[in-house]
Amino acid sequence: MSRMGDAEVNDTATTKGAQTRRVILAAAIDRFGRDGYRATSVADIARDAGVGGTVAYAYFHNKEALFLAAIDEDAAGVIGEGVDLVGAEVEGDWRVDLVFRLIEAVDRHPLARRLLAGLEPEVTARVLGIPALEELRKGVAERLRSEQVSGAVRADIDPVSTANGVVAILLSLLMSVVQLGNDVALPYAD
């Protein structure tokens, strides 16, 4: 086989492997989100993903590694929707829009919702260290910097520290809404 043929085979294998990993991760998000860490086995996830029982171990060292990767992936989906909004031009107050965007996003992300609900207490503290949160912090800090330039935000405010505080408050609000429910929290939205 030619060198070109070998590259094509490797690209196909890489693509197939990446697709298999994504399918396993999606099944893990759904299963862990629905049943929780303790009630879920890697075999359950493999069955849901339509792969052999040990295939998941080729991509994730153990059940815990799969769980943590699923948390990061599902939380990144929620946070990504917020990052998109922070960088966009919006009518009204982007901060208010951000809160509501994230609340809506949590409903589409079962594992993130479960974590925010406090149903996985062993990893709840991990919420603060989710890699995608750094992107949200950076986005908020950049937005605050641009508002400082335009005069909408005071120049003496540190955008990075403020962004860290905004993200911490957002997480607290999301946890409250998930744990108390929209009916209890929405009357206080204004």
Side-chain angles (χ1 to χ4, degrees):
M1 188 175 261
S2 71
R3 199 114 166 89
M4 179 78 144
D6 290 343
E8 288 172 10
V9 169
N10 287 339
D11 287 345
T12 303
T14 301
T15 303
K16 185 177 180 190
Q19 289 172 346
T20 301
R21 186 182 189 283
R22 281 193 299 273
V23 168
I24 292 167
L25 207 48
I29 289 168
D30 289 341
R31 181 64 78 139
F32 285 134
R34 183 180 63 240
D35 299 338
Y37 180 78
R38 292 179 196 254
T40 298
S41 71
V42 175
D44 294 332
I45 293 166
R47 195 170 28 260
D48 293 349
V51 299
T54 60
V55 172
Y57 293 111
Y59 300 93
F60 304 96
H61 181 66
N62 56 28
K63 178 180 167 181
E64 181 181 4
L66 176 54
F67 182 61
L68 295 176
I71 288 171
D72 288 350
E73 182 74 17
D74 204 36
V78 173
I79 296 162
E81 292 188 39
V83 170
D84 291 345
L85 185 131
V86 169
E89 289 299 319
V90 295
E91 283 194 33
D93 189 340
W94 64 271
R95 295 159 197 87
V96 173
D97 291 348
L98 179 59
V99 170
F100 285 106
R101 169 85 53 97
L102 292 174
I103 289 170
E104 290 171 6
V106 166
D107 286 337
R108 293 185 293 277
H109 296 274
L111 186 51
R113 182 173 184 74
R114 184 175 183 82
L115 200 62
L116 291 168
L119 298 175
E120 298 292 344
E122 295 84 10
V123 293
T124 299
R126 183 170 170 27
V127 170
L128 293 173
I130 289 173
L133 275 181
E134 187 56 33
E135 289 303 310
L136 184 57
R137 289 182 190 102
K138 287 178 184 176
V140 170
E142 186 56 39
R143 183 70 181 244
L144 293 171
R145 277 188 204 96
S146 71
E147 289 181 344
Q148 284 177 319
V149 170
S150 72
V153 171
R154 292 183 0 213
D156 64 331
I157 291 175
D158 177 19
V160 173
S161 295
T162 304
N164 289 338
V166 166
V167 170
I169 291 167
L170 282 170
L171 284 173
S172 297
L173 289 171
L174 285 173
M175 291 176 113
S176 295
V177 168
V178 169
Q179 292 177 21
L180 299 173
N182 285 345
D183 295 341
V184 173
L186 286 181
Y188 300 99
D190 291 339

